Amino acid sequence: MIVRGLLIVVLLGVQGVVCDHGNNAMSNEIPHVNHGGVKMGVKDIKCDDGIHNLTVDWDGSADAYTCETDMWSPLEQDIQWKQSAVCEPVKPPLHRCLTTPIEYDEVLPTSGKHRPLWPKFGEYRYLPTQRWLHNLEHGCAVFLYHPCAPQSEVDELRRIATRCLRKHIITPYNKLPRDLPFAVVTYGCKLQIPYVNETAVVNFVKEHALQAPEADYPRNGDFSVELITPSLIVSDRLDSELCPLNPAMLPDFEPSTVAPDVVVKGQHARKKHKRMKEIAELEFNEI
């Protein structure tokens, strides 16, 4: 009887955890995420309020978003070229205050330490890596281009991004090489391409976007410095359908809660990402 009673308690406890997770997915309230001791999405002038000490990540110089040489000519679109997505083990998604500089070993990171306040979805004149890396954890797809990349290609990348999902970031990134001046980044994965190929980009987004620990959390960010164009709702606020044929393109809104009938539909939003277990293990090891 004691064993049976303990089993019931354990099962109820597990059920409670599952229910809480489901409620977090439906709620617009900030979940109690405390990576590395710093809470997510809490404005704090001593840590990160989205206003002060921003030069730690970017000094505001225009070279981050302008081309200092002649604009690059479009690369020849070789029909034999095949895109290749690279996925890598994720690093602990630890929050770090602006009192601590964050640097990355990789030219194009896909996970790791970042700022507690994540940016609003949309296009930026420039957005530091330390910011958009947080959005990846929320299932966002980040679309990058070199400032010298051909404008026609940048326009095409923008068109695809804005019509694929609400949770997108578009920003220039001057660390991209000339032979691969475009990139799409999701949590733990990246696609670097010599020119914008719609099929390649859409396939990558459908396969890898929303595959992140907090992808079901719909709330927009609180950081908006250099935001040019806020994102629109493409299918719904949870991006239930990625890259739809007939995108809604409706203004975004920020309700107090997400209605129960607005749920993630489709297999892509229900797949369990293989890297989630790695995340938990890495966080325990780091802390």
Side-chain angles (χ1 to χ4, degrees):
M1 293 297 293
I2 295 177
V3 173
R4 180 179 298 177
L6 289 173
L7 180 59
I8 292 174
V9 171
V10 170
L11 289 175
L12 287 174
V14 171
Q15 184 180 10
V17 172
V18 172
C19 289
D20 287 344
H21 175 74
N23 289 336
N24 283 340
M26 303 303 296
S27 175
N28 203 49
E29 297 179 358
I30 297 177
H32 297 291
V33 178
N34 194 20
H35 296 310
V38 180
K39 290 184 178 180
M40 177 181 78
V42 178
K43 292 184 178 181
D44 183 354
I45 192 171
K46 296 181 179 180
C47 178
D48 181 12
D49 64 354
I51 300 174
H52 300 90
N53 302 322
L54 302 183
T55 55
V56 174
D57 295 335
W58 175 44
D59 61 6
S61 60
D63 59 357
Y65 56 85
T66 57
C67 181
E68 298 182 332
T69 62
D70 293 334
M71 297 295 289
W72 297 344
S73 300
L75 296 175
E76 183 178 354
Q77 299 194 8
D78 185 356
I79 60 174
Q80 299 298 321
W81 170 74
K82 293 183 179 180
Q83 74 281 0
S84 59
V86 175
C87 293
E88 51 200 14
V90 296
K91 297 181 179 181
L94 303 177
H95 300 156
R96 289 291 180 260
C97 296
L98 284 160
T99 53
T100 303
I102 302 176
E103 296 182 357
Y104 304 100
D105 297 331
E106 309 93 331
V107 173
L108 187 56
T110 62
S111 64
K113 300 174 183 177
H114 50 254
R115 300 305 177 196
L117 296 185
W118 70 98
K120 292 184 180 298
F121 307 118
E123 181 173 1
Y124 287 76
R125 181 165 70 162
Y126 176 72
L127 185 64
T129 308
Q130 294 87 344
R131 291 291 175 183
W132 58 254
L133 210 63
H134 192 157
N135 289 59
L136 298 183
E137 192 182 357
H138 291 235
C140 182
V142 176
F143 297 79
L144 305 173
Y145 62 91
H146 193 282
C148 294
Q151 188 59 51
S152 60
E153 297 284 321
V154 175
D155 292 342
E156 177 66 2
L157 185 70
R158 178 184 299 111
R159 185 190 68 82
I160 297 170
T162 56
R163 297 171 68 86
C164 258
L165 73 168
R166 166 183 172 260
K167 284 188 173 183
H168 73 259
I169 295 290
I170 305 171
T171 181
Y173 192 70
N174 60 15
K175 294 182 180 181
L176 295 173
R178 185 164 187 166
D179 61 332
L180 295 170
F182 302 97
V184 186
V185 187
T186 58
Y187 194 66
C189 296
K190 55 190 172 186
L191 175 72
Q192 293 184 257
I193 48 180
Y195 52 84
V196 179
N197 179 290
E198 182 172 7
T199 300
V201 173
V202 168
N203 287 345
F204 178 83
V205 170
K206 287 184 175 181
E207 179 66 23
H208 298 287
L210 304 182
Q211 302 305 311
E214 297 163 10
D216 288 343
Y217 182 54
R219 179 167 172 168
N220 214 333
D222 289 314
F223 183 88
S224 60
V225 176
E226 300 294 344
L227 177 66
I228 298 174
T229 308
S231 69
L232 299 175
I233 295 176
V234 178
S235 57
D236 55 41
R237 295 194 79 245
L238 295 178
D239 288 314
S240 298
E241 182 182 1
L242 294 173
C243 308
L245 292 176
N246 298 301
M249 307 303 287
L250 299 173
D252 197 4
F253 59 94
E254 200 68 69
S256 57
T257 58
V258 178
D261 59 337
V262 181
V263 296
V264 177
K265 300 176 182 178
Q267 187 177 3
H268 74 268
R270 300 184 184 277
K271 287 192 296 184
K272 296 295 182 180
H273 204 285
K274 293 180 180 180
R275 295 187 296 275
M276 285 189 177
K277 185 176 181 181
E278 296 177 49
I279 297 168
E281 293 173 352
L282 285 170
E283 287 187 303
F284 272 108
N285 293 335
E286 180 78 11
I287 297 172

